[in-house]
Amino acid sequence: MKIEGKNYKTIWFEDNKVKIIDQTKLPHKFLIKELKTCDDVVVAIKGMEVRGAPLIGATAAYGLVLSLIENDDLDFLKKSSEYLINSRPTAINLKWAVDRMMKKLLVAEKNEILNLAITEAKNICDEDEKFCNEIGLNGLTLIEEIYKKKNKTVNILTHCNAGWLATINWGTATSPIYHAHKKGIPVHVWVDETRPRNQGANLTSFELNEEGINNTIIADNTGGILMQRGEVDMCIVGTDRTLSNGDVCNKIGTYLKALAAYDNNIPFYVALPSSTIDWMLKDHKQIPIEERNSEELSHLEGFDAQGEIKKIQIYPKKSKSLNLAFDVTPAKYVTKLITEKGICDSSSEGLNNLFK
Ligand code: MRU
């Protein structure tokens, strides 16, 4: 998708290096960063220079490529794979991508292992881009239905950034919106700010602006009243891990939005590629919920008038704070799942019918 009118993807491989857009600097600075080692990749994932479940997976896949370039010893590769899987705990795409790579690499001949790794990492990226496009075409039908009924701008609420910046291209939650816009359907997006890291304000609103899509940033607690006032037609969010029973783990605050949508009879959709489905875990209480540094809550970071990054403390110095990064929305509050294979109920039956 576009930044300043030029098309980009979020990650690419060039001259034996991985190139990423450093998302910690957006929307104020557009900076392309080079990752040269597996360590660089782990730092980029932990520090959220790259983030969003599908992009974390793709970056980890390239982390294994960089590990092989550094040292093509299999023990080193295995250590790298563990190191990558542990860099962030919640998004299942990370483990999914590393496992997919390792399955190929552990049985490869030494003279072909690097080329195989490069090809497989690229396949993961290409597949994600294709799936996100398909999610968009499937989700478009839901926006069209609402537009046919009301014949006025469709108001869509989204939380966090499940946009193209969180994937390779298109995004998951944003893909139906981009497709609707391309088709000429008038859409307006309510963008949850998404404290504490503000992925909604910094990334979703930014990418929608760059594509010319009408959007308004709201504080995270505003969605409820907008729903009561009839100003939200539908919600679409992404997910970091969806269990086979349809329970959805996503950015902290998603659950409260789903409850408000349920109470107001507003459809609450979750868009995801199959790489985000965890077929193994049976109970959402087993999902490792990332707890991040409480400084992300107690301090605010931004750019001053000179373009310098400034960090200021906003909480009382003596106060404790708890920074849980994700929550779980039980399946019963999810109207439908939008996947690359189609739209289904958020249930074992729904997912099994599409994927097994
Ligand atoms: O902590 P983040 O920014 O990586 O969290 C991102 C989200 O919660 C997204 O909604 C999710 O990863 C889906 S991205 C298509």
Side-chain angles (χ1 to χ4, degrees):
M1 308 295 290
K2 288 195 204 73
I3 295 182
E4 287 176 5
K6 200 171 157 201
N7 274 312
Y8 286 93
K9 293 185 187 178
T10 49
I11 188 165
W12 61 101
F13 187 67
E14 207 176 274
D15 303 330
N16 277 1
K17 286 169 211 121
V18 177
K19 304 270 180 92
I20 57 158
I21 298 169
D22 180 352
Q23 300 193 19
T24 61
K25 304 289 183 296
L26 290 173
H28 306 288
K29 267 194 187 145
F30 175 61
L31 205 99
I32 291 170
K33 194 166 172 180
E34 276 184 5
L35 309 178
K36 297 183 189 123
T37 63
C38 182
D39 272 1
D40 289 349
V41 168
V42 169
V43 169
I45 294 175
K46 276 185 194 262
M48 294 178 64
E49 289 165 3
V50 285
R51 28 69 50 207
L55 180 57
I56 296 173
T59 314
Y62 275 119
L64 292 175
V65 171
L66 295 178
S67 165
L68 283 168
I69 292 172
E70 266 177 282
N71 181 344
D72 65 0
D73 172 66
L74 277 192
D75 283 336
F76 186 76
L77 187 70
K78 281 183 201 157
K79 280 203 187 98
S80 298
S81 73
E82 282 161 26
Y83 194 33
L84 286 162
I85 287 177
N86 293 324
S87 58
R88 281 191 84 190
T90 304
I92 191 70
N93 303 60
L94 184 50
K95 184 173 176 340
W96 169 86
V98 170
D99 286 351
R100 173 168 161 172
M101 293 286 289
M102 290 301 279
K103 202 170 159 195
K104 287 242 151 117
L105 301 181
L106 288 177
V107 293
E109 299 292 335
K110 204 169 170 87
N111 62 348
E112 58 170 29
I113 190 164
L114 178 60
N115 279 339
L116 217 89
I118 296 170
T119 306
E120 193 61 3
K122 185 160 187 317
N123 287 344
I124 286 174
C125 292
D126 291 348
E127 193 180 284
D128 186 68
E129 185 173 3
K130 179 174 176 285
F131 286 178
C132 284
N133 182 37
E134 287 163 357
I135 287 168
L137 293 169
N138 292 330
L140 168 65
T141 59
L142 301 169
I143 301 178
E144 275 175 330
E145 255 171 52
I146 294 175
Y147 183 58
K148 267 185 209 144
K149 269 192 211 142
K150 74 181 270 201
N151 205 22
K152 272 202 283 198
T153 300
V154 180
N155 287 300
I156 303 163
L157 183 140
T158 193
H159 189 69
C160 194
N161 174 261
W164 75 269
L165 289 165
T167 64
I168 307 304
N169 216 344
W170 291 107
T172 58
T174 55
S175 188
I177 299 170
Y178 288 133
H179 279 285
H181 180 70
K182 268 175 76 156
K183 245 193 138 176
I185 297 172
V187 284
H188 165 259
V189 185
W190 294 112
V191 178
D192 279 353
E193 179 188 30
T194 321
R195 279 278 292 148
R197 290 191 63 105
N198 299 335
Q199 291 96 324
N202 290 346
L203 305 174
T204 305
S205 182
F206 167 78
E207 59 164 88
L208 293 173
N209 291 341
E210 297 296 305
E211 288 291 326
I213 293 179
N214 188 9
N215 70 95
T216 308
I217 300 171
I218 49 174
D220 291 325
N221 296 326
T222 309
I225 188 165
L226 292 177
M227 291 183 201
Q228 286 172 327
R229 287 180 173 178
E231 293 186 51
V232 179
D233 295 307
M234 68 196 301
C235 304
I236 316 181
V237 300
T239 164
D240 286 80
R241 189 187 294 231
T242 287
L243 301 193
S244 59
N245 67 2
D247 287 350
V248 167
C249 181
N250 191 45
K251 181 53 55 191
I252 193 84
T254 304
Y255 173 42
L256 294 178
K257 280 310 128 66
L259 287 178
Y262 190 77
D263 190 45
N264 287 282
N265 231 346
I266 291 164
F268 191 88
Y269 297 108
V270 177
L272 71 157
S274 47
S275 53
T276 308
I277 303 170
D278 183 341
W279 295 103
M280 303 301 285
L281 281 195
K282 296 289 168 240
D283 181 350
H284 74 74
K285 292 196 188 80
Q286 295 168 320
I287 299 175
I289 300 289
E290 181 178 14
E291 188 177 330
R292 293 187 63 85
N293 194 323
S294 60
E295 230 188 72
E296 289 181 352
L297 280 167
S298 60
H299 290 64
L300 278 183
E301 209 176 89
F303 280 74
D304 68 10
Q306 281 69 45
E308 299 291 324
I309 297 182
K310 286 274 150 68
K311 201 180 217 181
I312 54 165
Q313 172 152 3
I314 54 166
Y315 286 3
K317 273 208 172 108
K318 287 186 186 160
S319 297
K320 285 188 292 180
S321 47
L322 172 68
N323 187 9
L324 295 178
F326 299 94
D327 62 23
V328 179
T329 301
K332 64 179 173 185
Y333 298 120
V334 177
T335 310
K336 295 275 177 192
L337 299 172
I338 310 169
T339 78
E340 74 269 14
K341 288 231 175 162
I343 297 169
C344 70
D345 284 343
S346 191
S347 65
S348 312
E349 212 189 346
L351 281 168
N352 279 328
N353 283 345
L354 275 189
F355 289 101
K356 289 250 166 111

